[in-house]
Amino acid sequence: GFDGAAPHTHSGFAEMLYVISGGVEVLSGEKTTLARAGDLVVVPAGLPHAFGALKSGPASLLAVIGPGIDRFQYFRELAKVASGAVGALAPEIPGRYDSRLVDSPAWRRARSG
């Protein structure tokens, strides 16, 4: 049931999410879908999206961005939050890596049920 990424957009690249195992809910625009192992979801640049594991169990997925940009430090910052080393990302960090957090009533509804 862990939320993998809050609703956000990228202006300069598309994102592909390949589900390796388990199942995830994926927000793409205002539509929420279920993706299971072997499924691929493509999100064009500029479209709000999010993903999170199903409550029934863990999931693994591979995120691919294109065109590629250097985002290694961004994922290091996210790991600090996930491990509890810091409480939250500093507000300026997502923008450094072409990520803009957005509000999504559709995602809130999907994840609250």
Side-chain angles (χ1 to χ4, degrees):
F2 184 76
D3 283 337
H8 63 284
T9 63
H10 311 288
S11 62
F13 58 87
E15 190 166 353
M16 295 184 300
L17 304 170
Y18 177 76
V19 183
I20 297 168
S21 64
V24 295
E25 285 181 295
V26 178
L27 172 73
S28 182
E30 287 302 311
K31 183 178 179 184
T32 303
T33 59
L34 173 64
R36 298 204 179 270
D39 290 343
L40 177 70
V41 179
V42 178
V43 182
L47 195 65
H49 58 287
F51 54 87
L54 298 178
K55 293 186 187 331
S56 60
S60 294
L61 55 85
L62 171 68
V64 178
I65 61 173
I69 63 170
D70 182 358
R71 297 187 84 210
F72 296 110
Q73 188 58 40
Y74 184 56
F75 290 107
R76 290 181 185 111
E77 297 292 339
L78 291 172
K80 290 177 191 176
V81 175
S83 72
V86 298
L89 284 178
E92 71 278 3
I93 290 176
R96 289 183 194 162
Y97 301 96
D98 191 12
S99 289
R100 185 174 65 89
L101 297 176
V102 297
D103 181 46
S104 173
W107 186 243
R108 285 196 312 270
R109 283 190 304 274
R111 297 304 280 175
S112 67

